[in-house]
Amino acid sequence: TRAHPHCEMRRRVWVVPPKEDPASNDPTLCARLLKSVYGLRDAGQNFELFTHTVMEGLNFETGSWTPCLFRHRVKNTQVYVYGDNFVSRGSRRDQERLKNDLAKHMWIKVEGVLGPDRSQGDSQELVCLNRIFRWNRATHDEPESIELEADARHAEII
């Protein structure tokens, strides 16, 4: 839900205390940031490094072609990370475990589960990163599948 406040600062940044802080009345005082905040040049990089530390601590391997992909060989779970959005694939039990493990390190919010079983609360369609993910049920000549619809803005450009 909020990425950057989880991350330790890697450089020293000093700020003027907010008006709500009694120290703001003293113009000779400043505050040192211990955690990243939105708007810092390196906030995104700090979150990426934090994410890698968390995922590796959960025994996920970083993708060999892109550092945005993680794989857990034993659990057969894959995770794609883009900014502070995580998209994961795996069994229900492993997804629940991943959610609980991530919640120990960061604030999380599950947008939905894409799948075939509406009685379990599965969605047939989800929007993530301006893309539509759609669950297609099996037909007599096609197996079940997941369809990914491009970002409408990209389609307009093309």
Side-chain angles (χ1 to χ4, degrees), residues 12 19 64-65 70 80 82-83 85 88 91 93 104 113 139:
R12 290 179 181 228
K19 294 175 186 170
S64 55
W65 292 99
F70 296 90
Y80 169 68
Y82 183 82
N85 292 282
S88 59
S91 70
R93 188 178 79 198
K104 293 174 186 173
V113 175
T139 62

Side-chain angles (χ1 to χ4, degrees), residues 47-64 66-75 77 79 81 86 98 101-102 105-106:
F47 185 71
E48 181 183 347
L49 294 170
F50 171 76
T51 299
H52 278 265
T53 300
V54 169
M55 295 303 283
E56 288 171 358
L58 298 174
N59 296 316
F60 279 82
E61 298 174 354
T62 305
S64 55
T66 175
C68 300
L69 296 175
F70 296 90
R71 179 175 73 161
H72 197 292
R73 288 181 190 263
V74 176
K75 297 177 184 173
T77 302
V79 179
V81 179
F86 288 60
L98 174 64
D101 288 343
L102 288 175
H105 302 279
M106 61 184 80

Side-chain angles (χ1 to χ4, degrees), residues 6-155:
H6 299 293
C7 312
E8 300 290 329
M9 288 296 298
R10 296 178 345 150
R11 63 183 175 111
R12 290 179 181 228
V13 175
W14 300 90
V15 296
V16 174
K19 294 175 186 170
E20 296 82 14
D21 188 330
S24 67
N25 295 329
D26 186 345
T28 64
L29 294 179
C30 59
R32 180 176 171 208
L33 290 178
L34 299 177
K35 301 282 187 173
S36 289
V37 294
Y38 287 93
L40 291 178
R41 287 186 313 237
D42 51 354
Q45 182 183 40
N46 289 345
F47 185 71
E48 181 183 347
L49 294 170
F50 171 76
T51 299
H52 278 265
T53 300
V54 169
M55 295 303 283
E56 288 171 358
L58 298 174
N59 296 316
F60 279 82
E61 298 174 354
T62 305
S64 55
W65 292 99
T66 175
C68 300
L69 296 175
F70 296 90
R71 179 175 73 161
H72 197 292
R73 288 181 190 263
V74 176
K75 297 177 184 173
N76 194 26
T77 302
Q78 294 84 34
V79 179
Y80 169 68
V81 179
Y82 183 82
D84 61 353
N85 292 282
F86 288 60
V87 177
S88 59
R89 179 197 157 282
S91 70
R92 285 184 197 282
R93 188 178 79 198
D94 290 337
Q95 293 300 308
E96 188 65 27
R97 190 174 298 140
L98 174 64
K99 179 181 83 169
N100 292 335
D101 288 343
L102 288 175
K104 293 174 186 173
H105 302 279
M106 61 184 80
W107 303 318
I108 63 168
K109 179 174 71 173
V110 176
E111 296 287 336
V113 175
L114 189 67
D117 194 350
R118 292 181 190 202
S119 67
Q120 295 261 351
D122 291 354
S123 297
Q124 304 301 297
E125 190 173 282
L126 290 171
V127 177
C128 181
L129 302 171
N130 292 326
R131 288 159 178 79
I132 299 171
F133 291 78
R134 190 173 295 115
W135 182 268
N136 293 322
R137 294 190 175 277
T139 62
H140 64 281
D141 56 343
E142 293 286 330
E144 61 188 10
S145 63
I146 296 174
E147 179 181 328
L148 177 60
E149 190 174 307
D151 184 333
R153 294 173 298 180
H154 295 162

